[in-house]
Amino acid sequence: MKLQDHKATLSFSNGAPSVELPIYSGTVGPDVIDIRKLYAQTGMFTYDPGFLSTASCQSSITYIDGDKGELLYRGYPIEQLATQCDYLETCYLLLYGELPNEHQKADFSKRVTMHTMVNEQMQFFLRGFRRDAHPMAVLTGLVGAMSAFYHDSTDINNPQHREIAAIRLIAKLPTLVAMAYKYGIGQPYMYPRNDLSYAGNFLRMMFGTPCEEYKVNPVLERAMDRIFILHADHEQNASTSTVRLCGSSGTNPFAAIAAGVACLWGPAHGGANEACLNMLEEIQAMGGVDKIGEFIAKVKDKNSGVRLMGFGHRVYKNYDPRAKLMQETCNEVLGELGLENDPLFKLAKTLEKIALEDDYFVQRKLYPNVDFYSGIVQRAIGIPVNLFTGIFALARTVGWIAQLNEMISDPEYKIGRPRQLFTGAAKRDVVPIAQR
């Protein structure tokens, strides 16, 4: 970051002396006012619920311009990465800062592939869960448990430990997600295959059985890979900030990533695509396409409590750049599987058309977001709705690791310690119980 010549001046109407605050600029995006010495100079904190106006760190990984609808990984537009690179190339980019050449890609892919199996004891750990447990509950436990199985990569301050932990997490998350799914439906686990692609291997572990050979459909393989790329990182969102805050205490990488998985589970974050499909199924149960008008009327009525899931985005004030890419993939997958006339997907397409044309939604820029389309794609592929967030966690793991590595390598990083505006009782004395 670059220190600007000019400064911000904070003045007070009560006659207290004003304070000058440094201003820093990044490569692109808004400048920041440095308030690190504010408490020492004024005895006051800033108040920013949700940290919506606070930069908690400096980062060179991902940049979002919500007004322009722009998403960059290490400077590369998401549109180019999703159409010209695969997921493991994107992983390499996020971890190391540059796209790999052919030799680097082959070496990185081999390292990931060699770590796709998990310790056999993980199967017995898995048996401690109920069969009907939510996959995210299972996954949170499995990722956290990795620190109990891989003792040689738990020192977060050791770059080599973080490196091997990163490879292990990227490699083993597809295996763990597939194991959680298979456990829930009572099917035997499928061991990974080293001759398949990252996405192809995941599809086989999910849908293959020992009874017959599983043939990977290249259209579904490409769709799965694109889902992974589009969800690989998204700047300082809730789960990424959780990973950074957790990691700032010095806990091991597996525990920090498990914290990210737990945060991602929330319906306002990673659970959004699950909530979107649940919404579509509720409309279908009400009567489907014929009842969309009723549903839209409820959405427009502020007192109804009905929300339109999968439309609009907290960051993107224009179109979510990932949504157009996912829309293309959605149409490809539905066409490949012959599902264009499936009632639920016809319903989704009708809802999409209304949202893109209705003035109420257009004026509020409530365009379909990536969650809307990725949920449809995953359901078409055969992934159950309650596993959608697990797929998101699988894809986002590399972003969390890259952010964690960046934080640990930053000489300015400190353990996170947000402040508060206390509104409880002032100091008071305990009265003997007989007098209360």
Side-chain angles (χ1 to χ4, degrees), residues 135-207:
M136 284 299 283
V138 175
L139 198 58
T140 302
L142 290 176
V143 174
M146 287 179 71
S147 56
F149 288 94
Y150 303 103
H151 301 287
D152 59 340
S153 54
T154 55
D155 182 358
I156 201 168
N157 295 309
N158 185 318
Q160 285 74 37
H161 281 215
R162 295 202 308 274
E163 171 86 7
I164 188 62
I167 297 297
R168 282 174 169 158
L169 281 159
I170 294 167
K172 297 180 193 304
L173 253 294
T175 310
L176 294 178
V177 171
M179 285 174 69
Y181 169 64
K182 290 290 196 184
Y183 179 73
I185 62 173
Q187 286 188 4
Y189 309 122
M190 295 294 287
Y191 288 105
R193 280 265 300 269
N194 291 351
D195 59 328
L196 296 175
S197 71
Y198 189 88
N201 184 46
F202 175 66
L203 288 170
R204 179 184 171 276
M205 288 191 292
M206 282 285 293
F207 303 116

Side-chain angles (χ1 to χ4, degrees), residues 333-353:
V333 168
L334 295 181
E336 172 68 16
L337 299 176
L339 292 173
E340 300 97 330
N341 294 318
D342 178 278
L344 197 72
F345 298 135
K346 284 184 75 173
L347 171 65
K349 286 293 182 184
T350 305
L351 195 60
E352 174 195 29
K353 188 173 187 295

Side-chain angles (χ1 to χ4, degrees), residues 310-331:
F311 291 77
H313 196 279
R314 187 178 186 182
V315 174
Y316 298 109
K317 304 309 176 189
N318 207 311
Y319 199 70
D320 181 344
R322 302 166 300 171
K324 186 174 187 303
L325 296 160
M326 207 67 249
Q327 182 191 43
E328 294 170 4
T329 297
C330 183
N331 292 331

Side-chain angles (χ1 to χ4, degrees), residues 422-432 436:
F422 181 70
T423 57
K427 184 179 178 181
R428 50 185 173 169
D429 295 323
V430 175
V431 177
R436 292 177 204 163

